[in-house]
């Protein structure tokens, strides 16, 4: 029995390295809008920390985003994603769905004689859960390091799909395989 434990202890570090556990940090810009009263046109700049595990051509993982600029009670998002990422030499583009919980949506109080309860009605449409399509067309891997720029994300809230639009631009992400 002891020999099995020694064999597992010897193989686990190499299996973890072969599995492609990646951590990354990056800068991002998020725009949330519904095209109406809640129409935020300026992006919220933020930071993102992510983890992913490579399983064949899939990258499964998640992370956290912090976007302190702008209004809002809790400017944090937590997300999980599954990205299809073919290996094409050093170029490793990725695309797939992302699910998350967001504290970023805020309702701007209307101006110009609109009803007082309009903000409350718009807030009801903005649930904290969202779904998005995430694409990283400019993602590259150099030995143990990854670099990605101009990632794009397009999505909506799950409370009332289509009632809000979520656009995100990943400015730059730098990562490392553990």
């Amino acid at each position: 029995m002891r020999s099995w434990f020694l064999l597992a202890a010897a193989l686990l570090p190499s299996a973890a390295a072969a599995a492609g556990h990646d951590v990354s940090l990056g800068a991002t810009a998020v725009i949330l809008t519904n095209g109406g009263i809640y129409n935020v046109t300026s992006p919220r700049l933020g930071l993102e920390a992510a983890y992913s595990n490579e399983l064949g051509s899939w990258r499964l993982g998640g992370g956290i985003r912090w976007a302190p600029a702008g209004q809002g009670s809790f400017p944090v998002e937590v997300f999980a994603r599954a990205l299809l990422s073919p290996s094409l030499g050093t170029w490793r583009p990725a695309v797939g769905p992302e699910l998350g919980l967001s504290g970023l949506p805020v309702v701007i109080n209307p101006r110009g004689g609109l009803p007082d309860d309009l903000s409350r009605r718009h807030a009801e449409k903005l649930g904290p859960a969202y779904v998005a399509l995430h694409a990283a067309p400019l993602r590259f891997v150099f030995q143990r390091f990854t670099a990605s720029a101009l990632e794009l994300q397009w999505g909506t809230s799950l409370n009332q799909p289509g009632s809000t639009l979520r656009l995100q631009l990943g400015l730059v992400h730098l990562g490392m395989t553990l």
Side-chain angles (χ1 to χ4, degrees):
M1 181 63 112
R2 182 180 168 137
S3 61
W4 285 105
F5 287 121
L6 292 174
L7 179 61
L11 293 178
L12 282 178
S14 62
H21 297 275
D22 294 334
V23 292
S24 67
L25 294 173
T28 188
V30 180
I31 297 174
L32 303 165
T33 184
N34 75 352
I37 300 302
Y38 173 64
N39 193 4
V40 180
T41 57
S42 60
R44 293 180 71 162
L45 298 177
L47 299 174
E48 178 178 300
Y51 164 82
S52 67
N53 184 10
E54 188 173 327
L55 298 170
S57 59
W58 285 95
R59 305 187 61 72
L60 306 176
I64 187 166
R65 270 184 215 100
W66 178 60
Q71 302 171 347
S73 58
F74 193 59
V76 174
E77 292 183 333
V78 178
F79 62 89
R81 61 172 76 135
L83 302 175
L84 182 60
S85 180
S87 178
L88 304 168
T90 59
W91 180 44
R92 304 268 174 91
V95 66
E98 176 175 306
L99 291 171
L101 293 174
S102 178
L104 296 184
V106 296
V107 175
I108 298 172
N109 292 326
R111 295 183 191 150
L114 297 170
D116 292 337
D117 68 340
L118 188 60
S119 295
R120 181 182 49 79
R121 283 190 273 158
H122 280 288
E124 290 171 358
K125 292 181 181 180
L126 302 175
Y130 70 89
V131 63
L133 179 65
H134 186 90
L138 297 177
R139 185 172 173 274
F140 299 92
V141 176
F142 306 99
Q143 295 178 354
R144 291 184 42 186
F145 301 98
T146 60
S148 180
L150 302 177
E151 295 181 6
L152 183 63
Q153 187 182 100
W154 177 69
T156 186
S157 68
L158 285 175
N159 191 26
Q160 289 186 351
S163 64
T164 58
L165 174 64
R166 170 192 177 79
L167 294 174
Q168 179 180 329
L169 180 63
L171 304 173
V172 65
H173 286 86
L174 301 175
M176 181 176 167
T177 301
L178 301 177

